[in-house]
Amino acid sequence: MLAGGAVGPGLPAAAAAPSPVQARQPGTGHLFRPISADDEEQQPTEIESLCMNCYRNGMTRLLLTEIPFFREIIVSSFSCEHCGWNNTEIQSAGRIQDQGVRYTLTVRAQEDMNREVVKTDSATTRIPELDFEIPAFSQKGALTTVEGLISRAVSGLELDQPSRRANEEAMAERIDEFIVKLKELKQVASPFTLIIDDPSGNSFVENPHAPRKDDALVITHYNRTLQQEEMLGLQAEEPEEKPEEEDLRNEVLQFNTNCPECNAPAQTNMKLVQIPHFKEVIIMATNCENCGHRTNEVKSGGAVEPLGTRITFYITDPSDMTRDLLKSETCSMEIPELDFELGMAVLGGKFTTLEGILKDIQELVTKNPFTLGDSSSPGQTEKLQEFSQKLNQIIEGNMKAHFVMDDPAGNSYLQNVYAPEDDPEMKVEHYKRTFDQNEELGLNDMKTEGYETGLASQR
């Protein structure tokens, strides 16, 4: 069963000429301000625009905001005081991400229906238990909840029911039965699965247990197929001729790019670095002279290792905070004493120190807007404060803890100050990857031996 876009075609309303823009301009500062209930300067821009229902003038409100864990969005809302028609939608204001994302949520309780959900235009929504699917680009983007997604689907199916009953009565009866099943999902009489698959990588499902791991939510990042690239309007890169090999180890390469914060022209520096007792990595750093934003990223300079690597380090002394650390995009981190786990691709690739990565974790957890202000549930603020205090104790050396790095690709590293001897506080394990881990790394369908024979037989 497919659910079409019954929210209404096009934008919320046709914007009139920017004539009497009765605009209440947002406060000064950054164009996209972090979403916050305490920010009184963050006000929507109001534009008088044409109502597509009664063809009289209504009001469109635009709010440019930034949600951590989801990037920048534009929230638009239209209302007509003459006929009462209204409509809301969101649009992603950021770029398409390097990888697609798939959220698989097992809804077991009524609390799961209240999870915050950001669904973009390009996302496909599925409920396997009902064989139900909302195709990509059939609905406008929405900032809602799990219950809101189901209610939106029900409204879309009910919209054309009167005409179906008049022309196709049997079809209308089957849809009525299906609508009843969708409504029953809201009661959560039995668990069901909600899958949001977004090739653009810009959708989001809330984890209400942050900073702890959410056992009901599985997040998978994947490489887009050629069909998905074409659907998003992206052109596949043509293979380039290999230039003559050059020794780049002693050179810092520079190329032009745009600042991810203010979109002003900036320069990115790239350097190939050899890490002692490890391997070569590529360090990229961007510095924006316009807004002062700085960022750095680390890419592995080699191939995926034959075995995965799990590094378990026991933090016992404040001097441990100065150890160099390389975290690849495929590395997950864990602190068992705090019951904390951070999945792969959350902080991206980083070359920093142990203290630096712990402070990045602290900032990531404590500044999540879904756990602060009006969005926080009772007791959640106390849990975050307790987590932050314990993390500070670890950084200051007042609390001993284990720090675990698990990288299926084997491209992460934690400095051994006793090298080439073994570190008594560090345990490095090499393990064989599971089928699911190879699937996430794209290795199951990769054939590196004997492929010439297969190509010759096809010809």
Side-chain angles (χ1 to χ4, degrees), residues 10-11 46 199 268 281 296 324 329 346 359 364 395 419 432 452:
L11 296 170
E46 297 183 349
T268 294
V281 297
N296 66 78
D324 290 334
E329 293 180 335
V346 176
K359 288 186 176 180
L364 183 73
I395 295 174
K432 186 177 180 180
E452 300 93 343

Side-chain angles (χ1 to χ4, degrees), residues 139-444:
Q139 289 184 347
K140 290 295 181 182
L143 173 59
T144 179
T145 62
V146 174
E147 183 178 3
L149 278 180
I150 297 176
S151 299
R152 197 178 185 197
V154 170
S155 301
L157 292 172
E158 288 178 339
L159 185 65
D160 296 328
Q161 279 297 83
S163 60
R164 291 195 192 100
R165 293 190 182 96
N167 302 322
E168 303 178 66
E169 187 174 351
M171 173 75 72
E173 290 178 358
R174 290 198 297 269
I175 293 179
D176 282 335
E177 294 174 359
F178 191 81
I179 290 175
V180 172
K181 293 180 181 179
L182 278 177
K183 290 181 178 179
E184 289 176 351
L185 292 181
K186 297 181 183 180
Q187 309 303 321
V188 198
S190 60
F192 66 91
T193 305
L194 176 70
I195 301 174
I196 297 180
D197 191 337
D198 187 0
S200 74
N202 283 327
S203 289
F204 170 80
V205 176
E206 178 193 7
N207 172 11
H209 306 292
R212 297 183 179 180
K213 179 183 177 182
D214 190 348
D215 295 329
L217 183 63
V218 178
I219 306 174
T220 305
H221 297 269
Y222 60 88
N223 294 324
R224 286 185 287 269
T225 64
L226 181 61
Q227 290 78 9
Q228 290 172 330
E229 296 271 358
E230 293 176 353
M231 180 182 69
L232 296 174
L234 302 177
Q235 294 182 355
E237 296 183 359
E238 298 181 357
E240 299 179 356
E241 296 182 0
K242 292 185 178 180
E244 296 181 0
E245 293 187 0
E246 299 179 8
D247 188 5
L248 304 178
R249 290 173 177 78
N250 298 322
E251 295 185 23
V252 177
L253 302 180
Q254 293 185 336
F255 55 90
N256 297 325
T257 183
N258 290 88
C259 174
E261 288 292 325
C262 66
N263 207 36
Q267 275 196 336
T268 294
N269 298 330
M270 184 172 68
K271 179 74 166 62
L272 190 65
V273 178
Q274 173 68 45
I275 297 180
H277 308 288
F278 189 54
K279 61 171 66 175
E280 289 182 337
V281 297
I282 300 172
I283 300 179
M284 294 186 292
T286 303
N287 183 15
C288 179
E289 296 181 356
N290 184 52
C291 67
H293 176 73
R294 294 185 178 185
T295 182
N296 66 78
E297 188 176 3
V298 177
K299 299 287 187 181
S300 173
V304 175
E305 294 295 315
L307 297 175
T309 302
R310 181 181 175 89
I311 303 173
T312 304
F313 179 62
Y314 188 42
I315 303 173
T316 58
D317 190 83
S319 62
D320 293 333
M321 293 295 110
T322 61
R323 294 191 181 219
D324 290 334
L325 179 145
L326 171 66
K327 176 196 173 298
S328 74
E329 293 180 335
T330 58
C331 178
S332 61
M333 296 180 292
E334 184 179 352
I335 305 177
E337 285 79 2
L338 302 186
D339 194 18
F340 173 79
E341 181 174 340
L342 188 69
M344 62 174 65
V346 176
L347 287 174
K350 279 185 175 292
F351 184 53
T352 177
T353 61
L354 184 56
E355 180 181 7
I357 202 71
L358 291 178
K359 288 186 176 180
D360 287 340
I361 292 174
Q362 187 177 41
E363 182 178 0
L364 183 73
V365 171
T366 56
K367 293 188 178 181
N368 182 356
F370 291 110
T371 59
L372 301 173
D374 296 338
S375 301
S376 61
S377 58
Q380 198 168 32
T381 304
E382 289 77 7
K383 292 180 181 178
L384 287 176
Q385 290 177 349
E386 181 183 357
F387 174 83
S388 182
Q389 290 172 359
K390 289 183 177 179
L391 206 56
N392 281 329
Q393 291 177 6
I394 294 175
I395 295 174
E396 294 168 0
N398 298 326
M399 177 179 176
K400 298 181 179 180
H402 290 84
F403 181 76
V404 183
M405 299 173 64
D406 192 343
D407 188 355
N411 287 327
S412 293
Y413 161 84
L414 182 61
Q415 182 185 13
N416 175 8
V417 295
Y418 297 94
E421 303 297 329
D422 292 336
D423 190 331
E425 304 297 344
M426 185 188 301
K427 180 181 179 182
V428 180
E429 303 172 86
H430 299 282
Y431 61 88
K432 186 177 180 180
R433 287 183 289 269
T434 64
F435 178 86
D436 291 337
Q437 287 173 327
N438 281 328
E439 187 71 19
E440 286 194 32
L441 295 175
L443 300 178
N444 288 333

Side-chain angles (χ1 to χ4, degrees), residues 22-156:
Q22 301 176 353
R24 204 174 39 184
Q25 299 295 341
T28 58
H30 293 293
L31 187 61
F32 291 87
R33 301 166 68 94
I35 188 169
S36 172
D38 300 326
D39 189 354
E40 297 181 356
E41 295 183 2
Q42 189 179 38
Q43 298 293 334
T45 300
E46 297 183 349
I47 304 173
E48 188 176 351
S49 50
L50 181 67
C51 174
M52 301 306 294
N53 187 49
C54 67
Y55 298 102
R56 302 173 72 178
N57 281 345
M59 187 65 67
T60 295
R61 294 173 175 84
L62 299 175
L63 179 63
L64 281 64
T65 187
E66 179 184 357
I67 301 180
F69 306 103
F70 177 61
R71 308 164 194 93
E72 299 167 341
I73 62 171
I74 301 174
V75 182
S76 61
S77 172
F78 175 81
S79 61
C80 179
E81 61 180 7
H82 304 290
C83 66
W85 189 74
N86 59 75
N87 188 19
T88 60
E89 67 178 67
I90 70 161
Q91 294 179 351
S92 175
R95 64 180 181 87
I96 294 176
Q97 302 307 305
D98 295 333
Q99 290 184 311
V101 65
R102 183 185 301 109
Y103 290 88
T104 304
L105 173 65
T106 302
V107 181
R108 299 190 180 97
Q110 196 66 40
E111 291 77 11
D112 292 328
M113 302 296 290
N114 298 325
R115 290 178 185 243
E116 297 280 353
V117 175
V118 175
K119 175 186 172 296
T120 64
D121 299 7
S122 59
T124 300
T125 306
R126 292 194 297 271
I127 302 177
E129 287 81 0
L130 298 184
D131 194 20
F132 175 72
E133 177 177 320
I134 303 176
F137 299 104
S138 62
Q139 289 184 347
K140 290 295 181 182
L143 173 59
T144 179
T145 62
V146 174
E147 183 178 3
L149 278 180
I150 297 176
S151 299
R152 197 178 185 197
V154 170
S155 301

